[in-house]
Amino acid sequence: MQPRDRRAADGGPESEFTRFVTARWRALTHTAYLLTGDFHEAEDLVQTTLAKVYPHWQRLEPERAEHYVRRALVNTNRSRHRRRRITHLLLPSLPDTGPVHDDGAGAGHMDVYDTLARELADLPERQRAVVVLRYCEDLSVEEVADVLGCSVGTVKSQASRALAKLRTRSTLARTRLPSRPAEAR
């Protein structure tokens, strides 16, 4: 049975998309949180990304769907970051950009991840994306390069620079991060 035939027999691309979103929502939101540093912005980022991906879903190969969505998530975050930077340049004063704490429903160790998100937020956008994809999402250097559309050497140099900056931060040096639950990976 061809991939398109299998999809049709399973209820079509809509049900496949729904299953993907249901299975990967938590992991995508976690990645987005580390990219944005804000729980609510992370949810908005994931929703925006999924809305952009949905029209193309039926053309995706099932084994490449996760990669495609992850790449779209990073690219959507870049666009969001550029728009925010322009807005900040146009505003007379910056809005409050402190971290918004989750109400704790279903989230353990949120204070540790808040610390990590704050530290990641101080990194340049490309370094932050490399650290999140490489060390939080456990992607290989080659996979990160593919997601970001850059060379392996760029990933390695950006990771090295980012880790050097993060190591100088006293907050992270004293904090031990708990491992993520298996379903969030």
Side-chain angles (χ1 to χ4, degrees):
M1 192 181 298
Q2 295 293 337
R4 287 187 187 267
D5 296 337
R6 187 180 68 239
R7 288 179 185 171
D10 272 347
E14 291 84 14
S15 63
E16 187 176 312
F17 183 77
T18 301
R19 281 193 300 274
F20 174 83
V21 170
T22 301
R24 301 303 300 155
W25 176 262
R26 189 169 178 192
L28 291 170
T29 305
H30 176 77
T31 300
Y33 175 73
L34 292 175
L35 289 171
T36 63
D38 180 274
F39 181 75
H40 300 290
E41 283 188 39
E43 285 189 332
D44 289 346
L45 176 61
V46 173
Q47 289 175 1
T48 301
T49 300
L50 292 172
K52 288 180 178 182
V53 167
Y54 179 74
H56 309 284
W57 190 258
Q58 65 186 7
R59 293 182 299 202
L60 294 178
E61 294 296 321
E63 61 275 355
R64 298 282 296 163
E66 176 97 19
H67 172 78
Y68 185 83
V69 171
R70 191 177 282 127
R71 185 172 193 161
L73 184 72
V74 170
N75 289 336
T76 302
N77 185 55
R78 282 185 189 158
S79 297
R80 179 194 68 84
H81 186 68
R82 276 192 293 266
R83 280 192 305 272
R84 282 185 75 185
R85 188 173 49 210
I86 290 169
T87 303
H88 287 182
L89 291 173
L90 298 175
L91 292 176
S93 64
L94 294 178
D96 180 21
T97 57
V100 176
H101 296 281
D102 182 45
D103 61 4
H109 308 290
M110 195 53 117
D111 57 339
V112 174
Y113 287 113
D114 281 344
T115 301
L116 177 60
R118 279 193 303 276
E119 297 296 339
L120 288 173
D122 289 340
L123 293 175
E125 181 184 343
R126 175 64 63 108
Q127 289 178 10
R128 181 173 53 243
V130 167
V131 169
V132 169
L133 294 172
R134 178 75 178 103
Y135 301 105
C136 299
E137 292 296 313
D138 293 328
L139 297 182
S140 69
V141 173
E142 293 79 15
E143 290 171 321
V144 174
D146 191 34
V147 167
L148 295 178
C150 63
S151 71
V152 169
T154 299
V155 171
K156 289 179 180 180
S157 67
Q158 293 295 305
S160 176
R161 290 180 187 136
L163 292 176
K165 286 180 185 177
L166 291 173
R167 283 186 186 114
T168 64
R169 309 281 167 86
S170 62
T171 336
L172 284 179
R174 292 181 302 221
T175 305
R176 177 148 175 86
L177 293 175
S179 61
R180 278 192 307 163
E183 69 273 3
R185 290 185 188 154

